[in-house]
């Protein structure tokens, strides 16, 4: 078991109890005193501390010192805040536990002050314990991903701004749009879509494959949406320059491991009509079985692929943001994205990345990790959030491509992605699998269709917003 796996095993009960406490407090409707709720939140947050960023920029390890508190809280609170419990804990049950948790947390905090005063000022520990930050994870799934816009709008209306966004495939593209501005304006999305056509986004022209896995549809993101991610001087926005930090999951194909010849992916998805505007939905549907087969070949044997996370290292933070999203959305055997322009910097970055990891090509992030919750959590634990170094986060995961029997055509493909999502779910405080979405093929929906699915998705997610607000509210100071 890796260090981070051990770390998560230690804190997972605390994460689950935090969520149950938030739900119990909402259910209590004011009958749980704010001081008691605050004491429980402070104790759980302190018990989760691992590394705390000191003013000199160094991380101070505190996990060993708070371990007794973790064990005490699990013994004290788990019977009350177990997610499998039939009913949420009542205020009168939480009251004595809150008083004892407050005493244990106060003793632990004072002990830390005595032991680490020379390395970690009390205000640094207090800030890490009391300030919470939102991490937003957006899953892939083609046109199904437009439900993420509903989450962006609801979070903005609730005053909840992401401190970090992570995405795969369509979730990476929409996450990129969200990360380009601190504030989100849903009214601008129809304006963006109105400027797009299939002819701008896709082309069927001979094109070499250098970095991306081949496919008959050439994705031209720069021509379609590049102007949204360009500096005034014409240079493209890098991941490191986005107002909100972004992680983009991309799947690497290991050299010598591809299950079929590289050129086969050019003809895997049979498209005879050269005009993208005239592609029939039925014609695309006929290819879904081939698509499922191709992705299954890559996903079923882990050693064939390697997950890369652009934005998780200083090197990949220097990648053009639109290129990272393009590779993440390049569906094996269907959509090909590449860097063929005269761009020595990006080509050197990609050459180095492929050589270091012994990779042949890059493709859709959803193949290896369609809802990259664990990647986001691990990145925060390793590096802390940019700017603050904090590791005190609340993770909201959005899954638009969860298996649904009502969509039998896509069920096999959804089922391929599902096992990795199941492994990821425990890392999220709130995981939302949407029931109603657009078709995965609805890449450029009409304004009416988009508005309809956004409204429906808002209704589905609305009940979770108060939980998120409760979890993200600043934690009161401990006297």
């Amino acid at each position: 078991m890796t260090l981070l796996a051990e770390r998560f095993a230690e804190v997972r009960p605390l994460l689950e109890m935090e969520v149950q406490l938030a739900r119990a407090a909402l259910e209590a409707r004011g009958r749980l005193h704010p001081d008691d709720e605050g004491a429980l939140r402070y104790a759980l947050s302190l018990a989760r501390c691992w590394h705390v960023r000191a003013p000199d920029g160094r991380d101070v390890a505190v996990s060993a010192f708070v371990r007794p508190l973790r064990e005490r809280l699990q013994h004290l609170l788990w019977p009350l805040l177990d997610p499998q419990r039939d009913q949420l804990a009542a205020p009168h049950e939480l009251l004595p536990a809150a008083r004892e948790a407050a005493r244990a947390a106060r003793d632990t905090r004072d002990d830390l002050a005595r032991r680490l005063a020379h390395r970690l000022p009390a205000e640094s520990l207090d800030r890490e314990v009391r300030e919470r930050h939102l991490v937003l994870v957006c899953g892939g799934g083609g046109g199904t991903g437009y439900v993420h816009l509903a989450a962006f709008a609801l979070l903005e209306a609730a005053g909840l701004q992401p401190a970090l966004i992570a995405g795969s495939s369509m979730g990476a593209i929409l996450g990129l749009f969200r990360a380009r501005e601190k504030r989100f304006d849903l009214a601008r999305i129809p304006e963006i879509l109105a400027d797009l056509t299939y002819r701008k986004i896709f082309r069927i022209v001979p094109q070499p494959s250098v970095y991306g896995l081949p496919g008959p549809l050439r994705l031209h993101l720069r021509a379609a949406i590049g102007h949204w991610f360009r500096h005034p001087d014409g240079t493209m926005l890098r991941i490191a320059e986005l107002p909100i930090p972004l992680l983009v999951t991309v799947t690497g194909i290991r050299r010598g491991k591809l299950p079929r010849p590289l050129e086969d992916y050019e003809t895997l998805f049979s498209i005879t009509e050269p005009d993208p505007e005239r592609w029939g939905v039925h014609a695309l549907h006929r290819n879904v079985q081939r698509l499922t087969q191709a992705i299954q070949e890559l996903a079923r044997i882990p050693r064939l692929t390697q997950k890369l996370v652009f934005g998780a290292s200083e090197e990949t933070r220097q990648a053009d943001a639109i290129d990272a999203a393009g590779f993440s959305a390049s569906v094996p055997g269907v959509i090909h994205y590449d860097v063929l322009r005269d761009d020595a910097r990006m080509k050197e970055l990609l050459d180095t990345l492929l050589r270091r990891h012994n990779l042949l090509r890059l493709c859709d992030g959803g193949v290896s990790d369609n809802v990259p919750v664990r990647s986001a959590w691990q990145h925060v634990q390793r590096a802390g959030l940019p700017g603050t170094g904090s590791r005190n986060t609340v993770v909201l995961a959005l899954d638009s491509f969860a298996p649904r029997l009502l969509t039998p055509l896509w069920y096999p493909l959804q089922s391929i992605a599902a096992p990795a999502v199941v492994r990821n779910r425990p890392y999220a405080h709130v995981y939302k699998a949407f029931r109603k979405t657009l078709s995965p093929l609805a890449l450029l929906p009409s304004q009416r269709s988009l508005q309809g699915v956004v409204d429906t998705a808002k209704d589905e997610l609305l009940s979770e917003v108060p939980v998120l607000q409760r979890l993200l509210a600043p934690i009161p100071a401990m006297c």
Side-chain angles (χ1 to χ4, degrees), residues 42 77 95 98 108 140 157 195 202 242 283 288 293 323 335 337 366 368-369 384 389 475 477 479:
Y42 187 99
L77 297 178
L95 177 59
T108 301
D195 187 41
F202 296 114
L242 291 168
V288 171
Q293 179 185 357
D323 286 333
I335 297 174
Y337 185 84
S368 56
D369 199 358
I475 297 174
C479 299

PDB file of all heavy atoms in Angstrom, residues 42 77 95 98 108 140 157 195 202 242 283 288 293 323 335 337 366 368-369 384 389 475 477 479:
ATOM      1  N   TYR A  42     -14.619  21.302  13.899  1.00  0.00           N
ATOM      2  CA  TYR A  42     -13.227  21.636  14.194  1.00  0.00           C
ATOM      3  C   TYR A  42     -12.440  20.371  14.533  1.00  0.00           C
ATOM      4  O   TYR A  42     -11.319  20.167  14.038  1.00  0.00           O
ATOM      5  CB  TYR A  42     -13.166  22.625  15.351  1.00  0.00           C
ATOM      6  CG  TYR A  42     -11.770  23.162  15.611  1.00  0.00           C
ATOM      7  CD1 TYR A  42     -11.385  24.408  15.128  1.00  0.00           C
ATOM      8  CD2 TYR A  42     -10.829  22.425  16.336  1.00  0.00           C
ATOM      9  CE1 TYR A  42     -10.113  24.910  15.353  1.00  0.00           C
ATOM     10  CE2 TYR A  42      -9.544  22.902  16.554  1.00  0.00           C
ATOM     11  CZ  TYR A  42      -9.201  24.148  16.068  1.00  0.00           C
ATOM     12  OH  TYR A  42      -7.930  24.629  16.278  1.00  0.00           O
ATOM     13  N   LEU A  77     -17.581   9.031  17.508  1.00  0.00           N
ATOM     14  CA  LEU A  77     -18.572   9.560  16.581  1.00  0.00           C
ATOM     15  C   LEU A  77     -19.098   8.562  15.556  1.00  0.00           C
ATOM     16  O   LEU A  77     -20.191   8.756  15.022  1.00  0.00           O
ATOM     17  CB  LEU A  77     -17.985  10.769  15.831  1.00  0.00           C
ATOM     18  CG  LEU A  77     -17.607  11.985  16.685  1.00  0.00           C
ATOM     19  CD1 LEU A  77     -16.990  13.063  15.814  1.00  0.00           C
ATOM     20  CD2 LEU A  77     -18.824  12.523  17.425  1.00  0.00           C
ATOM     21  N   LEU A  95     -24.977  16.064  21.153  1.00  0.00           N
ATOM     22  CA  LEU A  95     -24.564  17.037  22.162  1.00  0.00           C
ATOM     23  C   LEU A  95     -23.430  16.537  23.053  1.00  0.00           C
ATOM     24  O   LEU A  95     -22.381  17.185  23.146  1.00  0.00           O
ATOM     25  CB  LEU A  95     -25.767  17.468  23.011  1.00  0.00           C
ATOM     26  CG  LEU A  95     -25.472  18.429  24.154  1.00  0.00           C
ATOM     27  CD1 LEU A  95     -24.845  19.717  23.628  1.00  0.00           C
ATOM     28  CD2 LEU A  95     -26.747  18.736  24.935  1.00  0.00           C
ATOM     29  N   ALA A  98     -20.243  16.153  21.122  1.00  0.00           N
ATOM     30  CA  ALA A  98     -19.618  17.420  20.751  1.00  0.00           C
ATOM     31  C   ALA A  98     -18.767  17.971  21.885  1.00  0.00           C
ATOM     32  O   ALA A  98     -17.666  18.484  21.660  1.00  0.00           O
ATOM     33  CB  ALA A  98     -20.698  18.430  20.366  1.00  0.00           C
ATOM     34  N   THR A 108      -5.370  18.372  21.768  1.00  0.00           N
ATOM     35  CA  THR A 108      -4.485  18.081  20.635  1.00  0.00           C
ATOM     36  C   THR A 108      -3.886  19.362  20.075  1.00  0.00           C
ATOM     37  O   THR A 108      -2.684  19.425  19.775  1.00  0.00           O
ATOM     38  CB  THR A 108      -5.263  17.338  19.533  1.00  0.00           C
ATOM     39  OG1 THR A 108      -5.786  16.114  20.065  1.00  0.00           O
ATOM     40  CG2 THR A 108      -4.361  17.026  18.348  1.00  0.00           C
ATOM     41  N   GLY A 140     -16.265  12.734 -18.007  1.00  0.00           N
ATOM     42  CA  GLY A 140     -16.444  12.785 -19.443  1.00  0.00           C
ATOM     43  C   GLY A 140     -17.718  12.091 -19.883  1.00  0.00           C
ATOM     44  O   GLY A 140     -18.470  11.559 -19.079  1.00  0.00           O
ATOM     45  N   ALA A 157     -24.174  30.724  -8.004  1.00  0.00           N
ATOM     46  CA  ALA A 157     -25.291  31.384  -7.316  1.00  0.00           C
ATOM     47  C   ALA A 157     -25.191  31.224  -5.809  1.00  0.00           C
ATOM     48  O   ALA A 157     -25.626  32.096  -5.048  1.00  0.00           O
ATOM     49  CB  ALA A 157     -26.615  30.812  -7.814  1.00  0.00           C
ATOM     50  N   ASP A 195     -21.383  30.259 -32.013  1.00  0.00           N
ATOM     51  CA  ASP A 195     -20.239  30.543 -32.879  1.00  0.00           C
ATOM     52  C   ASP A 195     -19.613  29.259 -33.426  1.00  0.00           C
ATOM     53  O   ASP A 195     -18.674  29.308 -34.208  1.00  0.00           O
ATOM     54  CB  ASP A 195     -19.203  31.341 -32.073  1.00  0.00           C
ATOM     55  CG  ASP A 195     -18.062  31.834 -32.932  1.00  0.00           C
ATOM     56  OD1 ASP A 195     -18.327  32.270 -34.063  1.00  0.00           O
ATOM     57  OD2 ASP A 195     -16.898  31.769 -32.484  1.00  0.00           O
ATOM     58  N   PHE A 202     -14.649  19.679 -36.527  1.00  0.00           N
ATOM     59  CA  PHE A 202     -14.176  18.417 -37.095  1.00  0.00           C
ATOM     60  C   PHE A 202     -13.875  18.562 -38.584  1.00  0.00           C
ATOM     61  O   PHE A 202     -14.567  19.273 -39.302  1.00  0.00           O
ATOM     62  CB  PHE A 202     -15.226  17.314 -36.918  1.00  0.00           C
ATOM     63  CG  PHE A 202     -15.500  16.959 -35.489  1.00  0.00           C
ATOM     64  CD1 PHE A 202     -16.744  17.211 -34.924  1.00  0.00           C
ATOM     65  CD2 PHE A 202     -14.527  16.374 -34.689  1.00  0.00           C
ATOM     66  CE1 PHE A 202     -17.012  16.883 -33.613  1.00  0.00           C
ATOM     67  CE2 PHE A 202     -14.784  16.049 -33.377  1.00  0.00           C
ATOM     68  CZ  PHE A 202     -16.029  16.304 -32.826  1.00  0.00           C
ATOM     69  N   LEU A 242      -4.177  29.881 -16.015  1.00  0.00           N
ATOM     70  CA  LEU A 242      -5.618  29.910 -15.813  1.00  0.00           C
ATOM     71  C   LEU A 242      -5.953  30.519 -14.450  1.00  0.00           C
ATOM     72  O   LEU A 242      -5.278  30.237 -13.459  1.00  0.00           O
ATOM     73  CB  LEU A 242      -6.198  28.492 -15.898  1.00  0.00           C
ATOM     74  CG  LEU A 242      -6.169  27.837 -17.278  1.00  0.00           C
ATOM     75  CD1 LEU A 242      -6.489  26.350 -17.157  1.00  0.00           C
ATOM     76  CD2 LEU A 242      -7.160  28.521 -18.211  1.00  0.00           C
ATOM     77  N   ALA A 283     -26.153   6.993 -38.558  1.00  0.00           N
ATOM     78  CA  ALA A 283     -24.865   6.508 -39.058  1.00  0.00           C
ATOM     79  C   ALA A 283     -23.838   6.443 -37.931  1.00  0.00           C
ATOM     80  O   ALA A 283     -23.048   5.506 -37.844  1.00  0.00           O
ATOM     81  CB  ALA A 283     -24.376   7.405 -40.187  1.00  0.00           C
ATOM     82  N   VAL A 288     -21.189   2.708 -32.741  1.00  0.00           N
ATOM     83  CA  VAL A 288     -21.001   2.657 -31.292  1.00  0.00           C
ATOM     84  C   VAL A 288     -20.409   1.327 -30.862  1.00  0.00           C
ATOM     85  O   VAL A 288     -19.556   1.263 -29.959  1.00  0.00           O
ATOM     86  CB  VAL A 288     -22.330   2.938 -30.567  1.00  0.00           C
ATOM     87  CG1 VAL A 288     -22.190   2.672 -29.071  1.00  0.00           C
ATOM     88  CG2 VAL A 288     -22.755   4.384 -30.798  1.00  0.00           C
ATOM     89  N   GLN A 293     -15.818  -1.617 -28.546  1.00  0.00           N
ATOM     90  CA  GLN A 293     -14.796  -2.658 -28.658  1.00  0.00           C
ATOM     91  C   GLN A 293     -13.393  -2.059 -28.538  1.00  0.00           C
ATOM     92  O   GLN A 293     -12.535  -2.594 -27.847  1.00  0.00           O
ATOM     93  CB  GLN A 293     -14.945  -3.387 -29.992  1.00  0.00           C
ATOM     94  CG  GLN A 293     -13.918  -4.488 -30.217  1.00  0.00           C
ATOM     95  CD  GLN A 293     -14.030  -5.108 -31.595  1.00  0.00           C
ATOM     96  OE1 GLN A 293     -14.919  -4.758 -32.368  1.00  0.00           O
ATOM     97  NE2 GLN A 293     -13.139  -6.034 -31.899  1.00  0.00           N
ATOM     98  N   ASP A 323      -4.505  22.386 -25.710  1.00  0.00           N
ATOM     99  CA  ASP A 323      -3.927  21.126 -26.176  1.00  0.00           C
ATOM    100  C   ASP A 323      -4.194  20.004 -25.184  1.00  0.00           C
ATOM    101  O   ASP A 323      -4.523  18.879 -25.579  1.00  0.00           O
ATOM    102  CB  ASP A 323      -2.421  21.277 -26.380  1.00  0.00           C
ATOM    103  CG  ASP A 323      -2.075  22.077 -27.628  1.00  0.00           C
ATOM    104  OD1 ASP A 323      -2.886  22.075 -28.575  1.00  0.00           O
ATOM    105  OD2 ASP A 323      -1.003  22.702 -27.658  1.00  0.00           O
ATOM    106  N   ILE A 335     -11.973  10.181 -32.749  1.00  0.00           N
ATOM    107  CA  ILE A 335     -11.541  11.580 -32.780  1.00  0.00           C
ATOM    108  C   ILE A 335     -10.028  11.641 -32.570  1.00  0.00           C
ATOM    109  O   ILE A 335      -9.502  11.102 -31.590  1.00  0.00           O
ATOM    110  CB  ILE A 335     -12.253  12.406 -31.692  1.00  0.00           C
ATOM    111  CG1 ILE A 335     -13.767  12.420 -31.953  1.00  0.00           C
ATOM    112  CG2 ILE A 335     -11.717  13.831 -31.657  1.00  0.00           C
ATOM    113  CD1 ILE A 335     -14.572  13.085 -30.848  1.00  0.00           C
ATOM    114  N   TYR A 337      -6.760  14.082 -32.090  1.00  0.00           N
ATOM    115  CA  TYR A 337      -6.227  15.418 -31.800  1.00  0.00           C
ATOM    116  C   TYR A 337      -4.710  15.334 -31.851  1.00  0.00           C
ATOM    117  O   TYR A 337      -4.122  14.343 -31.395  1.00  0.00           O
ATOM    118  CB  TYR A 337      -6.669  15.915 -30.431  1.00  0.00           C
ATOM    119  CG  TYR A 337      -6.231  17.348 -30.167  1.00  0.00           C
ATOM    120  CD1 TYR A 337      -6.987  18.417 -30.624  1.00  0.00           C
ATOM    121  CD2 TYR A 337      -5.044  17.622 -29.512  1.00  0.00           C
ATOM    122  CE1 TYR A 337      -6.587  19.726 -30.432  1.00  0.00           C
ATOM    123  CE2 TYR A 337      -4.621  18.932 -29.312  1.00  0.00           C
ATOM    124  CZ  TYR A 337      -5.389  19.981 -29.772  1.00  0.00           C
ATOM    125  OH  TYR A 337      -4.979  21.282 -29.592  1.00  0.00           O
ATOM    126  N   GLY A 366     -10.897   9.633 -20.451  1.00  0.00           N
ATOM    127  CA  GLY A 366     -11.920   8.757 -19.909  1.00  0.00           C
ATOM    128  C   GLY A 366     -11.587   7.293 -20.003  1.00  0.00           C
ATOM    129  O   GLY A 366     -12.158   6.472 -19.270  1.00  0.00           O
ATOM    130  N   SER A 368      -8.835   5.863 -19.068  1.00  0.00           N
ATOM    131  CA  SER A 368      -8.154   5.447 -17.841  1.00  0.00           C
ATOM    132  C   SER A 368      -8.844   5.950 -16.585  1.00  0.00           C
ATOM    133  O   SER A 368      -8.737   5.324 -15.523  1.00  0.00           O
ATOM    134  CB  SER A 368      -6.700   5.936 -17.844  1.00  0.00           C
ATOM    135  OG  SER A 368      -6.637   7.344 -18.015  1.00  0.00           O
ATOM    136  N   ASP A 369      -9.581   7.079 -16.688  1.00  0.00           N
ATOM    137  CA  ASP A 369     -10.163   7.663 -15.471  1.00  0.00           C
ATOM    138  C   ASP A 369     -11.226   8.686 -15.870  1.00  0.00           C
ATOM    139  O   ASP A 369     -10.920   9.850 -16.050  1.00  0.00           O
ATOM    140  CB  ASP A 369      -9.051   8.334 -14.657  1.00  0.00           C
ATOM    141  CG  ASP A 369      -9.443   8.543 -13.208  1.00  0.00           C
ATOM    142  OD1 ASP A 369     -10.579   8.215 -12.843  1.00  0.00           O
ATOM    143  OD2 ASP A 369      -8.591   9.016 -12.429  1.00  0.00           O
ATOM    144  N   GLY A 384      -0.617  20.423  -2.109  1.00  0.00           N
ATOM    145  CA  GLY A 384      -1.423  21.489  -1.555  1.00  0.00           C
ATOM    146  C   GLY A 384      -2.036  22.321  -2.670  1.00  0.00           C
ATOM    147  O   GLY A 384      -1.612  22.257  -3.826  1.00  0.00           O
ATOM    148  N   GLY A 389      -1.423  26.389  -0.328  1.00  0.00           N
ATOM    149  CA  GLY A 389      -0.814  25.167   0.198  1.00  0.00           C
ATOM    150  C   GLY A 389      -1.774  24.340   1.026  1.00  0.00           C
ATOM    151  O   GLY A 389      -1.386  23.311   1.581  1.00  0.00           O
ATOM    152  N   ILE A 475     -14.991  27.195   9.525  1.00  0.00           N
ATOM    153  CA  ILE A 475     -15.198  26.522  10.797  1.00  0.00           C
ATOM    154  C   ILE A 475     -14.902  27.507  11.924  1.00  0.00           C
ATOM    155  O   ILE A 475     -13.867  28.184  11.906  1.00  0.00           O
ATOM    156  CB  ILE A 475     -14.278  25.280  10.901  1.00  0.00           C
ATOM    157  CG1 ILE A 475     -14.650  24.270   9.797  1.00  0.00           C
ATOM    158  CG2 ILE A 475     -14.383  24.633  12.276  1.00  0.00           C
ATOM    159  CD1 ILE A 475     -13.713  23.081   9.704  1.00  0.00           C
ATOM    160  N   ALA A 477     -13.682  29.281  15.348  1.00  0.00           N
ATOM    161  CA  ALA A 477     -12.469  29.094  16.137  1.00  0.00           C
ATOM    162  C   ALA A 477     -12.755  28.317  17.408  1.00  0.00           C
ATOM    163  O   ALA A 477     -13.865  28.369  17.957  1.00  0.00           O
ATOM    164  CB  ALA A 477     -11.869  30.468  16.484  1.00  0.00           C
ATOM    165  N   CYS A 479     -12.087  27.926  21.226  1.00  0.00           N
ATOM    166  CA  CYS A 479     -11.618  28.748  22.352  1.00  0.00           C
ATOM    167  C   CYS A 479     -10.638  27.953  23.227  1.00  0.00           C
ATOM    168  O   CYS A 479     -10.691  26.739  23.295  1.00  0.00           O
ATOM    169  CB  CYS A 479     -12.796  29.205  23.196  1.00  0.00           C
ATOM    170  SG  CYS A 479     -13.966  30.226  22.278  1.00  0.00           S
TER     171      CYS A 479
END
